[in-house]
Amino acid sequence: MNYGNIKKYDIADGPGVRVSLFVSGCTHHCKGCFNAETWDFNYGQPYTGETEEEILKAMEPVYITGFTLLGGEPFEPQNQKVLVGLLKKIREQFPQKSIWCYTGYTYDVDLIKGGKVYTDVTEEMLSYIDTLVDGEFVEEKKDLMLEFRGSSNQRLIHLKEMKKMDCQ
């Protein structure tokens, strides 16, 4: 897996100050995408053990409220295999910090068993994510007034809250 960028002080992609990883590879090719260079799976740099250590180190300061995963497309099957390990380490080392993920896939269609990009690690990956922003960016539905989303079809899904409700 390759990645395009690591932002160590991101304030646009979730609440508070966050560390964000922009992965490479996306098959959606949304018209008007703000990050079209990351469509190419070979864009950027290879994700390595050193990359992971850099991210974990950047997560340490107390003012960092969480981690955001976006791209590109984190839920492309070949990206899931690598990212599930990173999310697990972040959850273990920083349980008080939130994890957000942006995906063009839809939670209740593409990421369920039998869905378009469901793999043997999809459920585990989702288990580490607090908030999922799902749905492709649709330029015709672009709305600058939306918080943490680019178009009105995209949803903010608070997965941790849903899991709490399922346990009651």
Side-chain angles (χ1 to χ4, degrees):
M1 182 187 86
N2 281 12
Y3 70 98
N5 192 15
I6 298 170
K7 288 187 180 179
K8 296 182 180 173
Y9 311 101
D10 188 355
I11 58 169
D13 299 307
V17 181
R18 313 181 70 73
V19 174
S20 294
L21 174 65
F22 293 77
V23 301
S24 296
C26 182
T27 58
H28 299 294
H29 297 186
C30 302
K31 179 182 168 191
C33 175
F34 82 101
N35 211 8
E37 62 274 8
T38 63
W39 294 352
D40 181 353
F41 284 87
N42 296 311
Y43 174 77
Q45 305 170 60
Y47 181 90
T48 65
E50 290 78 27
T51 308
E52 191 167 277
E53 287 305 313
E54 179 183 353
I55 291 167
L56 294 171
K57 181 83 174 148
M59 293 288 299
E60 290 176 357
V62 74
Y63 60 83
I64 297 294
T65 57
F67 176 75
T68 300
L69 186 56
L70 59 172
E73 174 56 68
F75 277 97
E76 293 293 356
Q78 54 270 57
N79 290 343
Q80 288 184 49
K81 306 283 186 202
V82 174
L83 295 172
V84 70
L86 171 63
L87 294 181
K88 181 178 183 180
K89 286 181 182 176
I90 291 171
R91 180 59 67 216
E92 289 172 351
Q93 292 182 30
F94 308 101
Q96 75 285 10
K97 298 186 182 196
S98 67
I99 297 176
W100 279 48
C101 181
Y102 285 76
T103 179
Y105 293 109
T106 52
Y107 174 68
D108 49 355
V109 175
D110 301 314
L111 301 179
I112 60 171
K113 194 168 191 166
K116 186 174 183 179
V117 292
Y118 184 87
T119 73
D120 61 331
V121 298
T122 303
E123 287 179 28
E124 182 182 359
M125 193 167 154
L126 287 167
S127 76
Y128 301 127
I129 297 169
D130 297 295
T131 301
L132 184 73
V133 181
D134 82 338
E136 291 187 7
F137 171 74
V138 177
E139 191 170 47
E140 295 77 22
K141 295 182 178 187
K142 182 177 181 176
D143 184 346
L144 298 177
M145 300 307 293
L146 294 170
E147 190 173 41
F148 305 124
R149 295 172 288 156
S151 59
S152 61
N153 63 296
Q154 295 174 312
R155 303 180 295 179
L156 277 170
I157 303 172
H158 302 288
L159 297 177
K160 290 295 182 204
E161 290 176 19
M162 288 174 57
K163 290 173 191 160
K164 284 180 194 172
M165 289 172 40
D166 288 345
C167 293
Q168 294 176 353

